[in-house]
Amino acid sequence: MPEPAISSSRPRVLSGMRPTGKLHLGNYMGALKNWVKLQGQYECYFFIADWHALTSDYADPSQIAPNTMGVILDYLAAGLDPEKSVLFQQSRVLQHAELNLLLGMITPISWLERVPSYKEQQENLTNKDLSNIGFLGYPLLMASDILMYQPQFVPVGHDQTAHVELTREVARRFNQFYKLDGREVLPEPQVLLTPSPKLPGTDGRKMSKSYGNTIQLSDTEPEVRKKLKTMVTDPARVRRTDPGDPDKCPVGDLHKVFSTPETLAKVYDGCRSAGIGCIECKSWAADALVQLLQPIQDRRATFSESQAEEILEAGSNRARARAEQTMQEVRAAMQLVRVTEQPRKPVAIGGRLG
Ligand code: TRP
Ligand code: SF4
């Protein structure tokens, strides 16, 4: 398998997801689909942030490893290509922990406390004690993930922009304190905002794992059809003879994202005139979803778990080599090694501790 070049002239991007469970249509439309497109134009690093999952799931980590396997399979199924992108697992690249520690020296605690998701999550996830250092440090670990690859862009959704902003502030502070031969070591990355359509879940709220209202990338056709059958509709349409409005209906929103213009026209006409029933309308939405998911599931079936494991290991080796380049600059800039010294060579290629 030809390996993607570590250094290339294409601008670099990095992004990742926590392995919290099977990926769903919201993850696909909001991130993965866009990442797949980026593979042609950018030097891409996409990873699975398993340490980040541990910041909140530390009391029961049993699902993190199986979920990591599930997410790499979902990545591959969606079309991320290990020949084009470096696909890796955070915990296999120990350099992330080193950079996290070093950046911790220069990051004021108040910067982390004022990240909006910090207080929000602490208040919302009341079933978990989130007063641990790991959870407070979540955004700093994320800054380490990002700055490690010196990327120009971080393709994320709107919910992650505050984290990238913090990353920029940390980079700026690092560059003020430390330079290497007068040059800045950690460039400030920019958000590459993923345009994502409003995607409702089966209960009409935003599709999200925490609401249990998702359609998963691995859902079979019968599962998709069953989920659609119980999906909420325009509340004004109680009886078959009542006209409805697709603009006030979550099923209508699905049609807007996934159906052809012809089907969409039939939905608007039929719904507003009570010419179609919701059951029929939902079956058309299910058709569109099944059509979208089919090639994803076909591709998933071409990968075994052991192949996925090999891809993750090979990608992590590549990521580690690139990470080590940055760390040599960081260590030298922070005068942990004498600048005149030869940079340390990575040890034991192939081992996890390289
Ligand atoms: N916080 C991100 C999320 O929940 C996951 C993540 C961790 C990430 N490190 C990152 C995303 C670095 C982009 C870049 O989705
Ligand atoms: Fe919603 Fe379709 Fe029923 Fe109209 S016909 S209310 S768009 S499910």
Side-chain angles (χ1 to χ4, degrees):
M1 189 185 290
E3 294 185 325
I6 277 186
S7 62
S8 91
S9 52
R10 285 175 296 166
R12 202 161 30 247
V13 302
L14 170 126
S15 197
M17 288 185 201
R18 274 171 308 152
T20 47
K22 287 189 169 167
L23 299 186
H24 53 76
L25 269 180
N27 301 125
Y28 180 71
M29 298 306 289
L32 269 181
K33 187 177 175 217
N34 187 44
W35 296 0
V36 171
K37 270 199 280 180
L38 296 175
Q39 292 185 114
Q41 295 153 263
Y42 294 91
E43 184 188 334
C44 293
Y45 286 79
F46 297 120
F47 78 108
I48 300 172
D50 55 343
W51 280 338
H52 273 106
L54 214 44
T55 64
S56 50
D57 295 349
Y58 58 85
D60 175 12
S62 62
Q63 295 313 299
I64 297 178
N67 286 343
T68 297
M69 177 49 69
V71 171
I72 185 66
L73 283 167
D74 279 330
Y75 278 8
L76 295 165
L80 290 186
D81 180 349
E83 297 192 16
K84 293 184 185 155
S85 297
V86 180
L87 307 178
F88 70 99
Q89 181 181 354
Q90 183 184 39
S91 67
R92 297 191 203 207
V93 185
L94 300 182
Q95 283 79 353
H96 288 230
E98 183 184 1
L99 187 55
N100 184 54
L101 178 131
L102 295 177
L103 295 179
M105 305 302 167
I106 62 164
T107 305
I109 295 170
S110 60
W111 287 13
L112 296 173
E113 286 172 334
R114 66 160 204 242
V115 171
S117 60
Y118 179 63
K119 280 217 169 62
E120 257 167 50
Q121 295 265 53
Q122 263 193 343
E123 282 160 18
N124 292 346
L125 302 179
T126 45
N127 56 334
K128 287 177 186 162
D129 182 354
L130 296 179
S131 53
N132 49 324
I133 291 179
F135 187 71
L136 176 65
Y138 184 111
L140 188 63
L141 181 57
M142 187 163 157
S144 311
D145 300 336
I146 296 170
L147 297 174
M148 185 69 87
Y149 300 90
Q150 300 166 318
Q152 282 85 338
F153 299 105
V154 188
V156 286
H158 181 69
D159 62 320
Q160 298 294 323
T161 51
H163 290 146
V164 180
E165 196 43 54
L166 177 96
T167 301
R168 293 165 57 85
E169 284 172 313
V170 171
R172 219 173 295 150
R173 193 165 161 89
F174 184 96
N175 293 330
Q176 273 164 11
F177 284 135
Y178 319 111
K179 292 203 170 40
L180 187 60
D181 305 328
R183 122 190 120 74
E184 296 188 347
V185 169
L186 301 177
E188 282 178 50
Q190 278 180 292
V191 167
L192 192 65
L193 205 59
T194 310
S196 61
K198 181 185 156 207
L199 203 68
T202 48
D203 61 358
R205 291 185 291 176
K206 176 180 156 44
M207 188 180 290
S208 161
K209 179 185 151 55
S210 48
Y211 295 149
N213 64 0
T214 63
I215 294 166
Q216 291 167 352
L217 296 183
S218 51
D219 279 348
T220 60
E221 172 161 2
E223 282 167 335
V224 171
R225 296 201 180 275
K226 193 166 147 219
K227 285 184 178 178
L228 260 285
K229 279 205 182 96
T230 56
M231 185 152 177
V232 300
T233 56
D234 177 359
R237 222 183 155 192
V238 183
R239 279 170 300 255
R240 168 72 176 78
T241 48
D242 296 332
D245 182 355
D247 289 334
K248 294 185 179 137
C249 173
V251 180
D253 288 332
L254 285 188
H255 277 294
K256 281 178 226 167
V257 178
F258 298 108
S259 290
T260 61
E262 296 76 50
T263 305
L264 192 59
K266 282 200 295 181
V267 169
Y268 271 104
D269 289 351
C271 180
R272 286 173 173 160
S273 64
I276 59 168
C278 290
I279 295 175
E280 190 178 8
C281 179
K282 286 171 160 186
S283 76
W284 297 340
D287 292 343
L289 293 183
V290 167
Q291 219 181 60
L292 174 84
L293 293 177
Q294 195 58 55
I296 295 178
Q297 295 177 358
D298 289 348
R299 208 175 300 112
R300 189 188 183 104
T302 65
F303 294 98
S304 67
E305 289 206 355
S306 67
Q307 278 173 311
E309 162 60 31
E310 273 172 35
I311 287 168
L312 214 43
E313 181 62 15
S316 300
N317 289 340
R318 300 197 66 76
R320 191 180 307 114
R322 182 60 186 79
E324 183 56 25
Q325 280 181 14
T326 301
M327 286 317 297
Q328 287 178 355
E329 295 179 19
V330 166
R331 291 178 205 125
M334 292 182 82
Q335 302 176 56
L336 291 165
V337 289
R338 293 217 320 278
V339 182
T340 50
E341 239 172 77
Q342 278 295 75
R344 281 173 220 174
K345 290 263 169 340
V347 220
I349 298 291
R352 278 189 61 153
L353 298 177

